[in-house]
Amino acid sequence: MAASAPTPRATGSPAEGRCGYYVAKKKRFCRMVVAAGKRFCGEHAGAAEEENARKRILCPLDPKHTVYEDQLAKHLKKCNSREKPKPDFFVQDINAGLKDETETPDQFVPISSLPEEQLENLIMKLRKASEGLNATLRDQTMSHPALHDALTDPRNGDSATKHLKQQASILGNIEKLKLLGPRRCFVEFGAGKGRLSHWVDIALKDAEEVHFVLVEKVTTRFKVDGKHRKKNAVFERLQIDIQHLCLNKIPVLSREKLPVVGIGKHLCGVATDLALRCLVGAGGARGEDGSGEPSAKRRKDGRADGEARTAAEEGRGGPAPAPWSPPVAGIVIALCCHHRCDWRHYVGREHFRALGLGALEFHYFQRMSSWATCGLRGAARRGGPSADGEEHDGAGHPVTDGRAESPPGSLTAEEKEDIGRLCKLLIDHGRAEYLRRHGFRPALQYYTEPGVSPENVLLTAVPQRPCPAAEASA
């Protein structure tokens, strides 16, 4: 029997100029470059005899790296994980909605553990609440000439073609609503690489005074922002959670006074509700706080904030100018991942309550919504973007949830898919009603085929009374 090969530790040696520390877990030497005259890199210098006098400790801001203990104070001032100053447009939880502890049950049991009678009761409530809804949405699959060359490129793979078809249809729907034009600011929520804004920019050609604000909460690689060099289009990327974004305080909006068009491609779960509340709050919510709930901001002396401001103005001898709010010219958002919605942030709570439903029903409906796209009929039904790296809200959530809770076996695959679609429809209808209450004309429609994306519903909305600024620039 041949002798076994010697381990790298026994015969190997670090490459010239590289760290001499042997990483047992990786079975190789560290590959970091060392300083002149040193044997170990800074990370592993504590193992060297000549560095024993200095102790390295875990960084308190990020334990994934270490730092010399005697240099901790200096390191904390420049560590990439330090808390950075918040911009003016960061307002803590401005789009989070009002938290009502009384409506959140302490504990939910998995759907698979629900008694069959309770599950049947939930399904009966769902079907009753969905009776008046248009279960068959209109097909608004469209395209746009701006993507013609890209769609016909023979180098495209299956994944790229699916993305381009969706972007083309979204762009076609934006144009149908007459939202493509000069003097607008397109705010792309959950922008990811920014491809949707990229195609909107191409479709606008030489339109003047067009701005793009790309909202993404995580650092994104391979962004397409750098491809835009037109003088009449300005791109700005904001790394912020939509939950804390105040549109009124974004410098470009307050400076240019442009109407806003909110767009998004597969805006994942709760991010859709946060974006809708962000847009409604920016355009004014007619006496409400933008959350769909009665305003809770009252002073201890019983006066509302508006009353207090009036009193202060009288003391100064004149009224203060009201803060400017950007008018919302339209909303076009491709919906996604209803199983990642949250009752606190959901904008359709008032609609649910009107139907006799609450947090308990919402929890199970949003969990059951995954039945519509979880591939219950086999892998062939999952040929959509979940396997293609579809862009979402930056958190990397897939279109479908591989850990979706298994329902009792008494339901057939067709029944489960039908129930899942009804759950999605009910949740989306609550969003549409929220927009209707705040002065918009909303619509839900299919914008692409299920084979292109199982998440193929588009939410659109325009003001019931046309935005004057948008009309003037049309």
Side-chain angles (χ1 to χ4, degrees):
M1 187 174 185
S4 58
T7 63
R9 180 76 182 199
T11 59
S13 58
E16 185 177 354
R18 305 288 173 165
C19 178
Y21 184 83
Y22 184 79
V23 186
K25 184 177 180 180
K26 298 183 178 180
K27 298 181 180 180
R28 62 168 174 79
F29 286 93
C30 172
R31 295 171 181 165
M32 293 292 289
V33 178
V34 298
K38 300 291 184 180
R39 181 184 171 193
F40 296 93
C41 68
E43 184 69 22
H44 299 122
E49 293 181 3
E50 63 269 24
E51 300 289 347
N52 278 343
R54 301 179 72 189
K55 181 182 178 183
R56 292 189 72 86
I57 60 174
L58 295 177
C59 173
L61 300 179
D62 182 4
K64 293 180 180 178
H65 65 274
T66 61
V67 61
Y68 284 118
E69 189 174 27
D70 57 0
Q71 292 185 342
L72 178 61
K74 181 180 178 181
H75 171 79
L76 293 178
K77 294 179 180 178
K78 61 180 182 179
C79 179
N80 289 333
S81 299
R82 71 189 185 280
E83 185 176 0
K84 299 174 179 62
K86 297 290 190 297
D88 291 340
F89 50 80
F90 179 98
V91 180
Q92 185 73 36
D93 293 331
I94 187 173
N95 303 316
L98 300 178
K99 192 171 184 180
D100 189 347
E101 300 289 352
T102 63
E103 290 197 299
T104 305
D106 295 332
Q107 187 174 5
F108 296 109
V109 300
I111 293 177
S112 56
S113 301
L114 281 176
E116 189 169 346
E117 183 179 351
Q118 186 176 351
L119 179 62
E120 289 177 354
N121 185 44
L122 283 169
I123 294 174
M124 185 173 63
K125 286 184 177 182
L126 172 67
R127 294 193 185 281
K128 182 178 179 181
S130 306
E131 279 178 1
L133 305 183
N134 179 17
T136 305
L137 307 184
R138 287 198 309 163
D139 185 357
Q140 290 292 327
T141 302
M142 306 184 75
S143 191
H144 195 280
L147 286 91
H148 179 266
D149 292 342
L151 281 166
T152 55
D153 191 337
R155 295 172 296 179
N156 287 339
D158 186 53
S159 174
T161 301
K162 289 178 179 180
H163 285 294
L164 289 168
K165 285 182 177 179
Q166 294 172 72
Q167 290 154 352
S169 184
I170 293 173
L171 200 57
N173 278 278
I174 293 174
E175 185 173 56
K176 181 182 177 183
L177 295 170
K178 300 181 180 179
L179 297 175
L180 285 179
R183 283 199 53 78
R184 282 170 171 78
C185 180
F186 292 86
V187 180
E188 182 179 358
F189 295 93
K193 298 178 178 66
R195 288 199 179 103
L196 183 56
S197 292
H198 166 76
W199 290 115
V200 171
D201 180 44
I202 290 177
L204 287 168
K205 297 181 180 179
D206 297 323
E208 296 183 352
E209 296 186 73
V210 178
H211 290 256
F212 292 88
V213 174
L214 281 63
V215 181
E216 180 57 68
K217 71 177 180 181
V218 297
T219 303
T220 306
R221 301 178 65 193
F222 309 117
K223 298 184 288 288
V224 297
D225 309 15
K227 296 182 180 180
H228 305 281
R229 295 287 184 268
K230 293 193 295 188
K231 295 181 179 179
N232 54 345
V234 179
F235 279 74
E236 181 178 0
R237 182 172 284 265
L238 307 182
Q239 186 175 336
I240 185 174
D241 193 316
I242 304 171
Q243 182 169 330
H244 313 301
L245 174 64
C246 180
L247 286 185
N248 301 358
K249 297 186 178 182
I250 296 177
V252 66
L253 290 178
S254 58
R255 181 177 67 250
E256 302 294 336
K257 303 291 190 295
L258 297 175
V260 167
V261 178
I263 60 176
K265 176 173 175 283
H266 283 181
L267 196 56
C268 189
V270 68
T272 294
D273 297 298
L274 297 175
L276 294 179
R277 190 174 283 112
C278 180
L279 290 164
V280 167
R286 295 197 306 251
E288 294 184 321
D289 63 357
S291 67
E293 311 292 339
S295 176
K297 296 182 179 180
R298 296 195 67 87
R299 293 160 53 92
K300 292 182 179 179
D301 58 8
R303 294 182 298 175
D305 283 348
E307 295 169 356
R309 282 196 298 271
T310 302
E313 290 162 2
E314 290 173 354
R316 290 195 300 269
W324 182 82
S325 295
V328 178
I331 300 170
V332 181
I333 294 175
L335 305 171
C336 176
C337 298
H338 298 72
H339 61 278
R340 293 188 180 273
C341 293
D342 182 87
W343 177 250
R344 178 192 174 184
H345 304 304
Y346 179 52
V347 296
R349 291 193 299 186
E350 193 169 308
H351 178 66
F352 259 60
R353 294 191 190 105
L355 295 171
L357 306 173
L360 179 67
E361 290 80 9
F362 178 83
H363 170 79
Y364 287 114
F365 290 168
Q366 57 100 353
R367 296 307 302 169
M368 289 189 291
S369 70
S370 64
W371 296 356
T373 56
C374 66
L376 291 164
R377 293 184 181 176
R381 295 297 301 274
R382 295 197 304 270
S386 57
D388 298 332
E390 184 65 86
E391 292 178 13
H392 295 275
D393 65 338
H397 301 320
V399 171
T400 58
D401 189 354
R403 299 168 295 175
E405 298 173 20
S406 301
S410 60
L411 295 172
T412 66
E414 290 78 7
E415 289 173 331
K416 294 167 188 173
E417 290 187 17
D418 179 60
I419 290 169
R421 282 192 293 269
L422 285 179
C423 290
K424 286 176 174 288
L425 179 62
L426 185 61
I427 291 172
D428 291 339
H429 191 72
R431 290 164 167 168
E433 286 302 309
Y434 170 79
L435 291 173
R436 198 185 313 278
R437 291 199 318 273
H438 288 87
F440 289 90
R441 287 188 287 110
L444 294 166
Q445 58 258 319
Y446 295 119
Y447 77 100
T448 193
E449 300 174 355
V452 174
S453 173
E455 298 280 17
N456 61 339
V457 175
L458 188 72
L459 171 63
T460 65
V462 292
Q464 292 178 2
R465 286 180 290 183
C467 171
E471 278 192 324
S473 59

